[in-house]
Amino acid sequence: MTNAVIDVIKKRRTQYALGKDLPLSPDAVTHLIKEAVRHAPSSFNSQSSRAVILFGAESEKFWSMVKEALRKIVPEDAFAASEARVNGFAAGAGTILFFEDQDVVKELQEKFALYADNFPIWSEQSSGMAQFAVWTALAESGIGASLQHYNPLVDAEVAQTWDVPPSWKLRAQMPFGSNLQPFGDKAFIDDAVRFKVFG
């Protein structure tokens, strides 16, 4: 059995070897990202996900922030490995910073008090779905990416540098670019460990 959606999902893989030559223009990539986030599901159709899209020197600036933040906390004898990893992200064409708007979460908590404890959880789920939607859309367009989490190390500096509203909470970072290496085979655990089917 074949399914076009599953075929596209299979293309979404982690790519660490990123280059700057994209198959689409920055405008087209921006449109793709916006459409993916716009159509990703969210609880109560809250649309709480936000994104800052960085290209070129702006993306490199972000990863320089990360590197300097890591330099302060990573032991000197272990820093080279962290630096090389971050340099790999900076080598890409751009980076998407994913946020969740906490004002939206609070508004929902006030409006639907019965579910107040769940809205932060549902917001995280919405963020994950937005990230997955973008990553899959990029993969379908031949653009490599990975998902990183250097928050909250750089949250304050990011907010100041790119004029991010105080209510936006940084959740993940997605460096993207051209695929400079092929993908290896993906291993899967046994279905019996992951699934139970009844009926």
Side-chain angles (χ1 to χ4, degrees), residues 65-184:
M65 287 178 189
V66 171
K67 192 188 306 184
E68 293 312 308
L70 289 173
R71 194 185 302 275
K72 297 173 185 175
I73 62 171
V74 175
E76 188 175 345
D77 60 347
F79 182 70
S82 294
E83 183 176 33
R85 187 176 178 89
V86 171
N87 286 344
F89 303 143
T95 303
I96 308 154
L97 309 180
F98 289 94
F99 300 80
E100 281 292 300
D101 191 337
Q102 300 308 296
D103 281 352
V104 173
V105 176
K106 290 173 186 174
E107 183 180 333
L108 287 167
Q109 287 177 310
E110 292 168 3
K111 190 173 181 181
F112 302 100
L114 184 63
Y115 307 111
D117 291 345
N118 288 319
F119 283 113
I121 299 168
W122 293 338
S123 168
E124 293 298 307
Q125 293 171 350
S126 296
S127 184
M129 288 188 279
Q131 293 158 28
F132 178 76
V134 170
W135 197 350
T136 304
L138 291 174
E140 172 66 2
S141 297
I143 297 172
S146 69
L147 193 64
Q148 306 302 320
H149 300 89
Y150 287 98
N151 43 291
L153 280 178
V154 293
D155 290 25
E157 193 171 2
V158 164
Q160 183 177 11
T161 302
W162 289 288
D163 194 26
V164 175
S167 64
W168 291 20
K169 185 177 182 181
L170 185 60
R171 306 314 299 138
Q173 306 85 49
M174 185 177 290
F176 63 87
S178 50
N179 290 298
L180 297 186
Q181 289 184 1
F183 298 105

Side-chain angles (χ1 to χ4, degrees), residues 17-97:
L18 297 171
K20 297 195 183 298
D21 297 323
L22 294 174
L24 302 175
S25 70
D27 283 348
V29 172
T30 298
H31 177 74
L32 187 73
I33 293 165
K34 288 179 177 179
E35 284 292 282
V37 172
R38 186 177 288 122
H39 291 284
S42 59
S43 66
F44 288 65
N45 194 31
S46 59
Q47 302 176 50
S48 55
S49 296
R50 307 285 183 264
V52 171
I53 306 166
L54 307 172
F55 288 97
E58 294 296 305
S59 177
E60 291 170 15
K61 184 191 299 183
F62 171 76
W63 292 110
S64 178
M65 287 178 189
V66 171
K67 192 188 306 184
E68 293 312 308
L70 289 173
R71 194 185 302 275
K72 297 173 185 175
I73 62 171
V74 175
E76 188 175 345
D77 60 347
F79 182 70
S82 294
E83 183 176 33
R85 187 176 178 89
V86 171
N87 286 344
F89 303 143
T95 303
I96 308 154
L97 309 180

